Amino acid sequence: MKSRAEQPSVTSPELDEERATIRLAQQGDQQAFYQLYQKYHRKVYAICWRMLADKESAEDVCQEVFVQLWQKITNFRGESKFSTWLHSVTNNIVLGHLRKHKNWLQRIFSIEDQTIQDIGVEMEDNTGLTTLDKQIARLPERARLVFVLFAIEGYRHEEIAKMLNMAVGTSKAQYHRARGLLREWVER
């Protein structure tokens, strides 16, 4: 699997149009920014929801991502794909949200103490969610974060360990824990 830095540079009319839209947004063009929002808000929300497993928090953090994006879009230098950069920004904001809004006791008793019925009710509004998304939401927080970052977002365990302030071995163990739980739940 190629790392993000090894991805080949691709040009296409769609990519050229996106680069032009980004340049306009960087110059303060609200319509251009809205086009970026329209293109990426569902993907950003999906990342937020998968990592937070809470509809209201995911909506709040998704909104915060786009507020931050508007304020910091000039930081995007085009050294990577915009979607890659936006995913990184999103992940950082989600992790910051987790650190800021949960004390250690709440982290211990996060989604693990919710009943499956509570999770199901919370997700009824999210009709676009796949069965896998629903199962991911059931995972304990650390296992869920590692699973989403590794399996879905494509980060390496070394990167995840730095993001989550854990040992590389812990990241791998949490990933395998998540996989085992998902396999068990799917096979039922």
Side-chain angles (χ1 to χ4, degrees):
M1 184 168 134
K2 290 185 177 183
S3 74
R4 293 169 196 260
E6 297 172 8
Q7 296 295 328
S9 177
V10 178
T11 59
S12 69
E14 184 179 314
L15 189 57
D16 291 339
E17 182 180 324
E18 181 176 79
R19 286 180 182 144
T21 302
I22 292 165
R23 278 193 298 277
L24 288 171
Q26 288 174 322
Q27 296 167 5
D29 185 315
Q30 292 179 356
Q31 185 60 36
F33 184 80
Y34 182 71
Q35 289 174 359
L36 293 173
Y37 171 81
Q38 286 296 105
K39 182 172 183 176
Y40 290 106
H41 80 275
R42 286 186 180 97
K43 293 176 184 175
V44 168
Y45 176 79
I47 294 167
C48 294
W49 194 90
R50 285 179 182 131
M51 292 178 74
L52 297 168
D54 175 70
K55 183 179 184 285
E56 288 179 21
S57 294
E59 289 170 352
D60 290 346
V61 172
C62 183
Q63 181 178 2
E64 178 64 22
V65 167
F66 284 99
V67 168
Q68 293 275 336
L69 182 62
W70 174 252
Q71 295 170 348
K72 298 181 180 186
I73 195 164
T74 55
N75 293 349
F76 177 67
R77 297 185 303 266
E79 295 169 358
S80 63
K81 288 174 52 179
F82 182 75
S83 60
T84 302
W85 182 77
L86 181 56
H87 279 206
S88 178
V89 168
T90 302
N91 288 330
N92 288 334
I93 292 172
V94 169
L95 294 173
H97 171 84
L98 287 169
R99 286 185 202 105
K100 185 168 48 171
H101 289 94
K102 288 187 175 183
N103 65 35
W104 68 272
L105 188 59
Q106 287 173 312
R107 276 195 206 132
I108 292 170
F109 298 109
S110 66
I111 197 167
E112 295 163 296
D113 283 350
Q114 288 184 355
T115 65
I116 301 308
Q117 292 81 14
D118 292 341
I119 294 168
V121 167
E122 187 173 292
M123 292 188 299
E124 284 176 4
D125 294 339
N126 299 303
T127 54
L129 295 174
T130 66
T131 301
L132 180 59
D133 287 326
K134 292 174 184 177
Q135 299 303 330
I136 290 170
R138 293 177 57 194
L139 290 170
E141 183 178 89
R142 285 170 53 107
R144 181 178 64 249
L145 291 173
V146 170
F147 183 83
V148 169
L149 291 170
F150 184 81
I152 298 173
E153 297 300 316
Y155 286 93
R156 294 185 331 262
H157 284 292
E158 294 78 13
E159 296 169 306
I160 296 167
K162 286 179 185 172
M163 280 190 245
L164 300 179
N165 196 25
M166 64 174 58
V168 173
T170 303
S171 176
K172 290 177 181 179
Q174 290 294 327
Y175 173 72
H176 288 289
R177 177 182 184 202
R179 278 188 54 191
L181 287 170
L182 290 171
R183 184 176 294 122
E184 177 184 321
W185 295 335
V186 169
E187 291 175 354
R188 282 189 195 169

